[in-house]
Amino acid sequence: MINREWHLLSRPVGWPKPEDFALVEAPAPTPGEGQVLVRNKYLSVDPYMRGRMSAAKSYVAPFELGKVMQGGAVGEVVESHAEGISVGDHVLHFFGWREYAAVDAKNAVKVDPEAAPLSTYLGVLGMTGLTAYAGLLRTASFKEGDTVFVSGAAGAVGSQVGQIAKLKGASRVIGSAGSDEKVKLLVDEYGFDAAFNYKNGPVAEQLRQAAPDGIDVYFDNVGGDHLEAAIGSLNQGGRIAVCGMISVYNNTEPAPGPKNLARLIQTRGRIEGFLVGDHYDLQPQFVQEVGPWVASGALKYRETVVEGIENNLEAFLGVLRGDNIGKMVVKL
């Protein structure tokens, strides 16, 4: 079998360019003892992948040049040399950006396609969902009655943060997004109390209008002017959970930090970054609580689905541009 897989050829400077990548044909891998061969059905593309394309020191090793990249994937087992996983089972793993993957059984998590669509295990019931849950409830120490502001609120993580906050008793939830269509979605479908298009005016002014009494929690997916605006509207004892800073991922020069950090002294505010990998102990609690919300329709989700592995790179670039509504996945 021929396996098509995406390789990183050179480290992007600024915005990634098509010539930094190549779609390569190679023989499908042969699984060894304790491994399974998975035919991937859905691949995940996420903003954090931009960081792995750089050689800069980070919390995870960079992608290797000339080799296939990695990412979340879910697929069907077509060959098994491992106990507990059979041909025909479906598994979640981390060897995306390719059609076939040989995966150690210990790194493959069985999922049930009857319980939920396979793609949801990459999004609302997967890593992005747990990111929202852990970041809001643990890192930001959300409590009932809080006013919550979410940037990148129409994305896979942000849309769940806002809805979980509402389901947990937030007094007010505000979201920012990059189009009027997304703003309408946040209010009409996801139940946000207010939302604004950050392209329509200064973020700080629009946030003050949407949250005249200030905010208690800010869930940051964007950084930049959003972070500065949130600090400016933070109430006493406010908490900021930094999940991502997509506005600066493609910068070639260091981005200036917020100019109003001294306000944290006045508000006794707290800023804390987090990684979902530090919170996998919450996975059982997350599935137990969020699964029924998804099944009942209490927590809604959207997916942007791109067809074909040949379009995997364009789907990733679309995430950086903000083309997606909800989770961006590639269907093979």
Side-chain angles (χ1 to χ4, degrees):
M1 294 183 295
I2 297 298
N3 191 27
R4 289 185 293 171
E5 53 188 41
W6 280 95
H7 289 202
L8 182 66
L9 300 184
S10 57
R11 303 209 179 276
V13 177
W15 275 88
K17 302 180 294 295
E19 52 265 35
D20 295 324
F21 309 84
L23 182 59
V24 175
E25 288 190 352
T30 301
E33 191 62 33
Q35 290 189 321
V36 294
L37 181 64
V38 182
R39 183 177 67 227
N40 288 330
K41 292 191 172 183
Y42 288 93
L43 307 177
S44 179
V45 286
D46 302 281
Y48 79 85
M49 293 174 174
R50 177 61 184 88
R52 295 198 67 188
M53 295 171 187
S54 167
K57 187 176 180 180
S58 185
Y59 60 88
V60 65
F63 292 136
E64 295 185 58
L65 294 180
K67 294 188 178 181
V68 62
M69 295 182 288
Q70 298 174 335
V74 64
E76 182 180 359
V77 175
V78 295
E79 186 177 342
S80 176
H81 299 284
E83 290 186 12
I85 301 180
S86 304
V87 171
D89 285 344
H90 290 81
V91 297
L92 174 69
H93 61 90
F94 204 68
F95 294 92
W97 290 85
R98 70 199 81 185
E99 291 177 307
Y100 290 88
V103 182
D104 289 341
K106 63 182 180 181
N107 295 326
V109 178
K110 286 204 289 187
V111 297
D112 184 359
E114 300 298 323
L118 281 176
S119 58
T120 63
Y121 294 105
L122 297 174
V124 65
L125 294 177
M127 185 177 72
T128 53
L130 181 59
T131 300
Y133 189 86
L136 177 68
L137 301 183
R138 178 175 281 174
T139 305
S141 304
F142 170 85
K143 60 183 183 295
E144 186 176 354
D146 279 345
T147 295
V148 178
F149 172 45
V150 188
S151 58
V157 173
S159 59
Q160 283 194 250
V161 171
Q163 292 184 82
I164 292 171
K166 290 294 290 184
L167 288 164
K168 288 282 193 178
S171 62
R172 187 167 177 80
V173 174
I174 302 104
S176 74
S179 73
D180 293 340
E181 175 193 9
K182 291 180 179 180
V183 167
K184 188 174 188 301
L185 174 72
L186 292 176
V187 175
D188 293 349
E189 186 167 330
Y190 293 154
F192 282 58
D193 296 289
F196 60 84
N197 182 346
Y198 66 83
K199 298 176 182 177
N200 288 347
V203 174
E205 292 181 12
Q206 295 196 78
L207 178 58
R208 280 194 296 270
Q209 292 174 5
D213 296 324
I215 61 173
D216 304 297
V217 168
Y218 171 48
F219 193 103
D220 190 16
N221 291 305
V222 173
D225 56 355
H226 280 75
L227 178 55
E228 186 167 296
I231 294 171
S233 286
L234 206 62
N235 289 330
Q236 185 166 317
R239 291 87 65 203
I240 295 174
V242 180
C243 176
M245 292 193 173
I246 196 170
S247 70
V248 303
Y249 286 168
N250 294 307
N251 287 5
T252 56
E253 298 293 333
K259 298 188 294 289
N260 58 347
L261 283 174
R263 194 167 186 279
L264 295 175
I265 303 169
Q266 172 191 342
T267 62
R268 291 73 143 182
R270 170 169 61 87
I271 300 179
E272 182 177 347
F274 75 98
L275 297 174
V276 66
D278 296 333
H279 302 282
Y280 280 124
D281 62 297
L282 288 176
Q283 180 75 24
Q285 176 183 324
F286 161 71
V287 172
Q288 183 178 12
E289 187 164 23
V290 175
W293 286 341
V294 174
S296 69
L299 194 152
K300 300 174 175 60
Y301 69 94
R302 291 280 193 100
E303 294 176 335
T304 300
V305 181
V306 173
E307 299 269 352
I309 193 169
E310 64 275 9
N311 295 313
N312 212 89
L313 175 60
E314 180 57 28
F316 167 70
L317 296 175
V319 170
L320 297 183
R321 292 190 300 260
D323 294 350
N324 57 302
I325 294 178
K327 183 76 183 78
M328 177 80 88
V329 294
V330 178
K331 182 180 180 181
L332 305 189

